[in-house]
Amino acid sequence: MFQRLREDIDCILERDPAAKSRWEVLTCYPGLHALFIHRRAHFFYRHGWYWLARFISQLGRWLTQIEIHPGAKIGRGVFIDHGAGVVIGETAEIGDYCTIYQGVTLGGTSLNGGKRHPTLAEGVVVGAGAKVLGPFTVHKGARIGSNAVVTREVPAGATAVGIPARIIQAEDAKLREEQAARMGFSAYAVTQTADDPLSIALHGLIDHAVTQDQQLEKIIAALDKAGICVDNQPCDENFNAQQLNKLVD
Ligand SMILES: CC(C)(COP(=O)(O)OP(=O)(O)OC[C@H]1O[C@@H](n2cnc3c(N)ncnc32)[C@H](O)[C@@H]1OP(=O)(O)O)[C@@H](O)C(=O)NCCC(=O)NCCS
């Protein structure tokens, strides 16, 4: 029990620059208290003592303003920062090292029994006031923007913002793929998961050069048609965007 508490305190010290000491975290962090109480409630829930489990969870709610249903499964190193107004439903699952800010709801959209609340995979961050509603998964390392309303699956590492939430990284990738398709090659395939900023910048420059080449060709053709001759120097070495993209990746 104390080992787990120490681990939770260390996680908070790592993730909250405002936390100054273990003593401060132990005495002044409602998220820590809520999880401590939840573990007791969850124990009784697992053993079928539903009323007692629910009562303990309510005590936790009175003390911390964080409502965690005793049935919710919560992993290690989870940090509920500030915490006021957080509501976590019965069939919600929270993976290790997730961070949840105040006002977050992990809720359901159906009155049917069974799995109806979301699953957060490892390392997910849910911004203040976000509502994550339904029995889908927010995959590893994804981030939910503050005040977003998320009603569908979020891919690993993606960022979801707005109401209803849109996946900003995936949309960027889609635009890029469309542009690549128009240009006749697919840089997308090699950059989809790249997170090296230098590589992303170089891919961007190569794409841009290809677009400009194509536009110049069209302008020269139009000028030719209009009877204006442009001294078009033949280029020995063809600009091979696909090859360059492979080199950069
Ligand atoms: C969503 C979030 C993780 C994105 O962070 P980021 O990767 O640094 O992204 P950026 O700030 O570069 O924003 C990317 C785009 O999303 C938009 N955006 C960011 N957060 C948003 C939000 N919560 N709602 C709607 N749009 C948002 C930005 O305006 C930007 O749009 P643009 O590309 O049109 O300019 C972050 O903004 C967030 O909401 N974090 C939660 C923090 C929190 O709750 N803190 C509470 C502390 S008490």
Side-chain angles (χ1 to χ4, degrees), residues 102-243:
Q102 69 273 17
V104 165
T105 299
L106 302 183
T109 50
S110 148
L111 298 180
N112 300 327
K115 174 78 174 160
R116 58 197 186 282
H117 302 102
T119 296
L120 308 185
E122 189 183 322
V124 167
V125 177
V126 188
K131 314 291 173 228
V132 187
L133 307 173
F136 53 83
T137 300
V138 177
H139 289 275
K140 195 172 171 180
R143 296 183 303 165
I144 311 292
S146 51
N147 288 325
V149 177
V150 185
T151 52
R152 60 193 164 100
E153 193 163 332
V154 181
T159 302
V161 296
I163 305 174
R166 60 196 168 87
I167 312 294
I168 46 182
Q169 282 176 5
E171 274 178 16
D172 285 353
K174 201 171 149 209
L175 281 176
R176 187 175 168 75
E177 191 177 27
E178 280 167 13
Q179 195 190 7
R182 276 203 307 276
M183 293 190 301
F185 70 96
S186 181
Y188 170 73
V190 287
T191 56
Q192 190 182 11
T193 54
D195 55 4
D196 171 15
L198 192 61
S199 160
I200 291 168
L202 285 169
H203 283 301
L205 286 171
I206 295 165
D207 289 1
H208 189 68
V210 174
T211 317
Q212 279 197 334
D213 260 11
Q214 289 178 341
Q215 280 172 338
L216 275 174
E217 269 169 30
K218 281 182 195 157
I219 292 168
I220 290 168
L223 287 171
D224 257 358
K225 221 172 166 185
I228 303 163
C229 184
V230 179
D231 186 17
N232 193 10
Q233 294 290 329
C235 184
D236 285 339
E237 210 175 306
N238 277 336
F239 178 70
N240 186 336
Q242 201 155 13
Q243 194 185 15

Side-chain angles (χ1 to χ4, degrees), residues 26-98:
L26 181 66
T27 51
C28 305
Y29 275 67
L32 182 79
H33 305 152
L35 289 177
F36 183 83
I37 296 167
H38 171 71
R39 277 183 211 122
R40 266 79 246 160
H42 188 60
F43 172 84
F44 288 110
Y45 183 90
R46 278 194 292 117
H47 289 84
W49 294 60
Y50 297 122
W51 178 84
L52 185 57
R54 197 67 203 255
F55 186 71
I56 294 171
S57 138
Q58 281 303 299
L59 285 178
R61 181 175 179 266
W62 290 332
L63 291 170
T64 64
Q65 297 180 44
I66 297 169
E67 180 171 334
I68 309 176
H69 192 284
K73 293 181 184 147
I74 302 185
R76 300 185 91 89
V78 170
F79 176 28
I80 302 178
D81 199 3
H82 307 289
V86 166
V87 176
I88 298 172
E90 182 182 15
T91 60
E93 291 167 64
I94 302 177
D96 297 342
Y97 309 109
C98 288

